[in-house]
């Protein structure tokens, strides 16, 4: 077993600063923090987005840029986030603004800290809605409603209100309202109990349960052979071929590489503000090199081994060759195509319930992770107790949820928030964190910090990658992403009033959080909180 | 909802070929090896020293004292 003793001597713990780890929240176990981070990363994208991306971008050939992106973008960035989070966290910094400002005492870092708060905050506002769709589908399978439904597109529109604005408020769809309320409350109940008693304990239960549900559905799919009697070609063998047969000419298309990098990027929750917050609750001696790699690998397991073998092959076996417009939409694959599959599958009611319950678990382990960075900021920045921070956050997110819920037509509000916050800002934050690690903290300091208590030696070239290759790779991907996608969304802002309101809503939240960040910064200055340059040298 | 399908005959064209099988097996095996290697390493790490243990012995969350 390699040990961190091979790397330069660590710095001693700082003392005497008001930012000591004493009294702060901490994880209860190694596997607990790993499952919590993995739970944050594993979400609907693993089961619905990834398989569609593979099928649309060269089949098995897509896995080449996918694994390249994992190695030079995903895993190194995760290591960097874990390292910066633990480093700042053991000096009492748990929220993005204080962590960034601790590493780089510059007003610009406070601005990016604000982004680190609004990204998980706004994503939560619509993600909790998607989470409630999963639970609604699971419960409708449980009581048999889904098995009596013929038109799954209409059913989806009914649940989401995609047909008309204010649908949920006008039609008295009471049961679904209760589901949204339940999901919203359960998230806050878990977060109220804290990092160790809430998030960690829940993830230790939810992740194995998710695995069991996934394995059962996988076994079902692999034992179906050709389920449609008069269509013998729609069998498992061809379904796997539809998903995995490689088209190597796709490797010459830059969009394939962008799709793979984007999938890795979004799947691992890099630039989310979550990993850096979770790792801030670790102690100096706590392992991070192996833990980070393990969390990444667990996420990959659910994505490649579950998502890659279930969704598209199953859809092919029952529905034949799918229209690319269906495959490219995670919502259409998950909430329209797969219910069609379960409707025709023997014991489909049971397997449909298991599938959507698994998606619900995947979603809730992600959504609770979005609340914790904001809770950490409210408590650390404003000195609030848990009940106060949870109440304030509950009010803010309820307003955001109501906004997304009301403007449900064509899911425009959800889509706009997802693009500008869940995609665009995620890129921005990841690029900032990449530069923060590679150029401000520096690879030398980073390597020392990364290896405190490590049980895995991270190769030295990773530091070189984090300084040069990863930021450049990210910037290139971001530029291509903007080139191909920005026009459509900017046009949408000009043409669609709901998109304009959504942008206004983002601006409002960003301004509010920026004011709180400035107030927090003044409090920290009064407390005599120090940056990394001002703490006593560690021996 | 009627699902938009292409011609059923197209299904024949997707029989898993050797390149597809190779990509699938290599991808899944690589991920499985990495996952089990990491989990094995984590599970077999030496126990945490008593003064490093966090919860429930010395956890003091402070802000969650009012939690039931």
């Amino acid at each position: 077993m390699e040990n961190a003793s091979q790397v330069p001597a660590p710095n001693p713990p700082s003392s005497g600063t008001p930012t000591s780890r004493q009294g702060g929240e901490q994880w209860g176990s190694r596997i607990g923090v790993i499952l919590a981070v993995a739970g944050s990363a594993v979400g609907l994208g693993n089961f619905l987005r990834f398989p569609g991306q593979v099928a649309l971008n060269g089949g098995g050939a897509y896995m080449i840029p996918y694994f390249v992106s994992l190695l030079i973008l995903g895993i190194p960035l995760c290591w960097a986030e874990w390292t910066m989070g633990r480093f700042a966290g053991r000096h009492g910094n748990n929220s993005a603004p204080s962590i960034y400002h601790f590493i780089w005492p510059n007003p610009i870092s406070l601005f990016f800290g604000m982004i680190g708060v609004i990204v998980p905050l706004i994503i939560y506002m619509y993600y909790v809605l998607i989470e409630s769709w999963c639970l609604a589908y699971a419960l409708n399978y449980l009581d048999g409603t889904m098995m009596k439904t013929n038109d799954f597109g209409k059913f989806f529109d009914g649940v989401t209100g995609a047909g008309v604005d204010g649908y949920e408020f006008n039609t008295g769809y009471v049961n679904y309202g209760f589901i949204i309320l339940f999901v919203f409350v359960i998230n806050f109940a878990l977060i109220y109990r804290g990092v160790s008693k809430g998030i960690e304990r829940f993830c230790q239960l939810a992740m194995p349960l998710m695995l069991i549900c996934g394995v059962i559905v996988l076994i079902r799919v692999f034992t179906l052979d050709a389920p449609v009697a008069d269509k013998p070609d729609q069998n498992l063998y061809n379904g796997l071929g539809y998903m995995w047969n490689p088209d190597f000419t796709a490797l010459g298309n830059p969009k394939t590489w962008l799709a793979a990098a984007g999938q890795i990027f979004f799947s691992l929750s890099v630039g989310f503000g979550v990993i850096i917050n979770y790792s801030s609750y670790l102690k100096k001696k706590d392992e991070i090199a192996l833990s980070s790699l393990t969390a990444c690998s667990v996420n990959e397991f659910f994505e490649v081994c579950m998502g890659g073998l279930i969704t598209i092959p199953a859809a092919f076996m029952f529905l034949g060759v799918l229209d690319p417009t269906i495959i490219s939409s995670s919502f259409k694959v998950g909430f329209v195509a797969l219910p069609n599959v379960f409707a025709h599958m023997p014991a489909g009611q049971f397997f449909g319930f298991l599938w959507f319950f698994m998606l619900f678990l995947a979603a809730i382990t992600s959504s609770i992770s979005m609340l914790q960075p904001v809770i950490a900021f409210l408590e650390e920045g404003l000195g609030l107790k848990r009940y106060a921070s949870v109440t304030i956050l509950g009010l803010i997110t309820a307003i955001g949820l109501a906004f997304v819920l009301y403007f449900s037509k064509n899911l425009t509000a959800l889509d706009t928030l997802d693009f500008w916050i869940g995609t665009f800002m995620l890129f921005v934050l990841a690029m900032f964190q990449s530069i923060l690690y590679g150029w401000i903290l520096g690879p030398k300091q980073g390597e020392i910090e990364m290896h405190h208590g490590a049980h895995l030696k991270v190769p030295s070239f990773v530091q070189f990658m984090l300084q040069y290759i990863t930021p450049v790779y990210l910037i290139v991907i971001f530029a291509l992403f903007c080139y191909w996608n920005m026009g459509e969304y900017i046009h949408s802002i000009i043409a669609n009033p709901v998109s304009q309101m959504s942008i206004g809503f983002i601006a409002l939240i960003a301004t509010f959080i920026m004011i709180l960040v400035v107030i927090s910064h003044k409090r920290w200055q009064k407390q005599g909180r120090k940056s990394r340059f001002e703490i006593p040298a560690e021996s | 909802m009627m699902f938009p399908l292409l011609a059923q005959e197209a299904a024949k064209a997707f029989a898993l070929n050797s390149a597809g099988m190779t990509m699938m097996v290599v991808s899944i095996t690589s991920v499985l090896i990495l996952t089990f290697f990491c989990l094995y390493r984590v599970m077999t790490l030496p126990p945490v020293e008593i003064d490093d243990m966090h919860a429930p012995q010395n956890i003091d969350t402070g802000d969650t004292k009012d939690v039931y």
Side-chain angles (χ1 to χ4, degrees):
Chain A
M1 186 180 295
E2 291 164 299
N3 199 290
S5 58
Q6 298 166 16
V7 287
N11 297 328
S14 68
S15 57
T17 68
T19 59
S20 118
R21 267 249 53 85
Q22 298 301 318
E25 291 214 64
Q26 288 178 5
W27 296 101
S29 64
R30 280 187 196 120
I31 196 68
V33 61
I34 290 168
L35 290 178
V37 173
S40 166
V42 176
L44 303 189
N46 295 58
F47 303 102
L48 304 180
R49 191 175 186 273
F50 168 76
Q53 291 287 307
V54 177
L56 286 174
N57 292 286
Y62 171 88
M63 298 310 290
I64 293 171
Y66 178 83
F67 282 121
V68 168
S69 297
L70 177 67
L71 291 175
I72 69 174
L73 190 70
I75 292 173
L77 275 175
C78 284
W79 268 325
E81 280 205 41
W82 279 73
T83 303
M84 290 190 291
R86 187 187 60 172
F87 175 45
R90 64 190 166 88
H91 296 288
N93 304 284
N94 298 116
S95 63
S98 68
I99 290 171
Y100 297 160
H101 199 263
F102 172 78
I103 294 171
W104 186 32
N106 185 299
I108 296 170
S109 66
L110 292 176
F111 174 76
F112 283 100
M114 177 274 291
I115 296 176
V117 175
I118 67 164
V119 164
L121 173 64
I122 295 180
I123 291 177
Y124 176 82
M125 291 171 183
Y126 62 81
Y127 200 82
V128 73
L129 207 56
I130 301 169
E131 192 176 316
S132 65
W133 300 346
C134 296
L135 185 60
Y137 270 64
L139 293 176
N140 276 296
Y141 270 108
L142 204 59
D143 73 3
T145 305
M146 287 299 286
M147 303 312 284
K148 298 170 195 159
T149 304
N150 295 319
D151 191 337
F152 294 102
K154 193 175 174 186
F155 187 88
F156 180 68
D157 286 350
V159 169
T160 61
V164 60
D165 279 340
Y167 179 81
E168 305 297 347
F169 294 103
N170 294 332
T171 58
Y173 208 90
V174 178
N175 289 340
Y176 181 56
F178 275 122
I179 290 171
I180 295 174
L181 187 65
F182 172 77
V183 170
F184 192 81
V185 169
I186 198 85
N187 271 281
F188 277 92
L190 288 169
I191 214 75
Y192 183 70
R193 293 180 59 80
V195 165
S196 180
K197 286 188 281 187
I199 297 171
E200 184 174 348
R201 282 189 192 171
F202 180 73
C203 288
Q204 284 180 321
L205 176 72
M207 293 299 283
L209 201 55
M210 206 156 64
L211 176 66
I212 291 167
C213 293
V215 168
I216 292 171
V217 176
L218 181 67
I219 291 170
R220 171 72 280 190
V221 170
F222 270 59
T223 50
L224 281 169
D225 196 24
V228 183
D230 58 341
K231 293 168 184 167
D233 290 323
Q234 289 180 202
N235 54 41
L236 176 68
Y237 197 65
N238 290 0
L240 290 171
Y242 178 59
M243 168 92 183
W244 289 95
N245 282 351
D247 170 15
F248 289 108
T249 59
L251 296 178
N253 185 348
K255 287 189 177 178
T256 304
W257 290 81
L258 175 67
Q263 180 61 30
I264 282 293
F265 184 74
F266 298 124
S267 176
L268 290 173
S269 294
V270 181
F272 221 81
V274 171
I275 295 175
I276 206 161
N277 167 250
Y278 272 12
S279 56
S280 76
Y281 300 114
L282 293 168
K283 280 182 167 181
K284 182 178 178 179
K285 288 183 185 175
D286 283 334
E287 221 291 329
I288 57 169
L290 179 59
S291 300
S292 172
L293 188 63
T294 307
C296 287
S297 67
V298 170
N299 177 68
E300 289 311 301
F301 171 79
F302 278 101
E303 185 152 292
V304 178
C305 303
M306 294 284 176
L309 293 178
I310 296 176
T311 313
I312 296 294
F316 179 91
M317 288 157 70
F318 286 92
L319 308 171
V321 181
L322 296 170
D323 191 306
T325 57
I326 302 279
I327 302 176
S328 61
S329 164
S330 298
F331 289 161
K332 285 181 182 171
V333 168
F335 296 100
V336 180
L338 285 179
N340 243 311
V341 169
F342 294 122
H344 297 95
M345 181 186 281
Q349 184 177 348
F350 172 69
F351 291 105
F353 166 74
L354 278 185
W355 174 258
F356 282 102
F357 185 64
M358 181 188 73
L359 291 186
F360 169 67
L361 290 175
I364 195 169
T365 52
S366 300
S367 64
I368 55 173
S369 76
M370 296 166 198
L371 292 175
Q372 183 58 32
V374 193
I375 289 278
F377 169 66
L378 293 174
E379 293 181 353
E380 191 190 355
L382 306 177
L384 300 177
K385 291 286 185 187
R386 178 55 56 111
Y387 64 86
S389 59
V390 167
T391 305
I392 290 172
L393 183 57
L395 283 172
I396 297 170
T397 50
I399 292 167
L401 172 63
F403 177 83
V404 180
L405 196 58
Y406 184 81
F407 293 108
S408 57
K409 187 178 178 184
N410 298 326
L411 305 178
T412 305
L414 189 156
D415 193 41
T416 307
L417 296 183
D418 185 45
F419 178 80
W420 290 105
I421 296 295
T423 311
F424 185 85
M425 283 299 179
L426 217 60
F427 267 122
V428 171
L429 199 58
M431 282 191 293
F432 171 74
Q433 289 186 165
S434 165
I435 291 165
L436 190 67
Y437 182 91
W439 291 92
I440 295 173
L441 181 64
K444 191 176 175 184
Q445 176 79 12
E447 186 169 27
I448 294 168
E449 291 297 333
M450 195 181 285
H451 287 92
H452 286 315
H455 289 271
L456 182 81
K457 174 76 175 77
V458 176
S460 294
F461 70 82
V462 170
Q463 304 302 328
F464 173 82
M465 277 182 19
L466 277 166
Q467 190 172 20
Y468 296 102
I469 298 172
T470 307
V472 171
Y473 194 62
L474 255 177
I475 289 167
V476 170
I477 292 166
F478 182 62
L480 286 171
F481 169 80
C482 290
Y483 179 73
W484 279 318
N485 298 286
M486 286 283 276
E488 180 191 341
Y489 279 89
I490 288 172
H491 178 73
S492 168
I493 292 172
I494 296 165
N496 191 326
V498 175
S499 295
Q500 291 164 9
M501 280 190 281
S502 303
I503 295 294
F505 180 74
I506 292 170
L508 190 71
I509 295 285
T511 306
F512 176 64
I513 297 295
M514 194 66 228
I515 292 168
L516 294 186
V517 168
V518 172
I519 293 170
S520 303
H521 179 57
K522 287 184 177 170
R523 282 189 74 245
W524 295 331
Q525 282 182 320
K526 278 185 187 168
Q527 289 171 357
R529 188 173 289 212
K530 295 178 172 66
S531 73
R532 70 187 172 99
F533 300 109
E534 298 164 313
I535 56 175
E538 297 174 307
S539 61
Chain B
M1 175 186 170
M2 287 304 293
F3 223 83
L5 301 179
L6 302 182
Q8 288 302 319
E9 302 82 60
K12 286 180 189 173
F14 293 102
L16 186 65
N17 58 31
S18 56
M21 176 71 89
T22 304
M23 295 306 293
M24 183 177 77
V25 170
V26 169
S27 298
I28 289 169
T29 308
S30 306
V31 170
L32 282 176
I33 288 172
L34 178 67
T35 307
F36 283 109
F37 166 77
C38 289
L39 287 174
Y40 173 77
R41 288 285 302 268
V42 168
M43 298 298 188
T44 54
L45 286 179
V48 181
E49 291 171 31
I50 197 72
D51 63 336
D52 287 338
M53 290 184 74
H54 306 153
Q57 282 84 345
N58 70 349
I59 188 163
D60 177 13
T61 59
D63 61 338
T64 55
K65 279 176 183 161
D66 49 347
V67 171
Y68 44 87

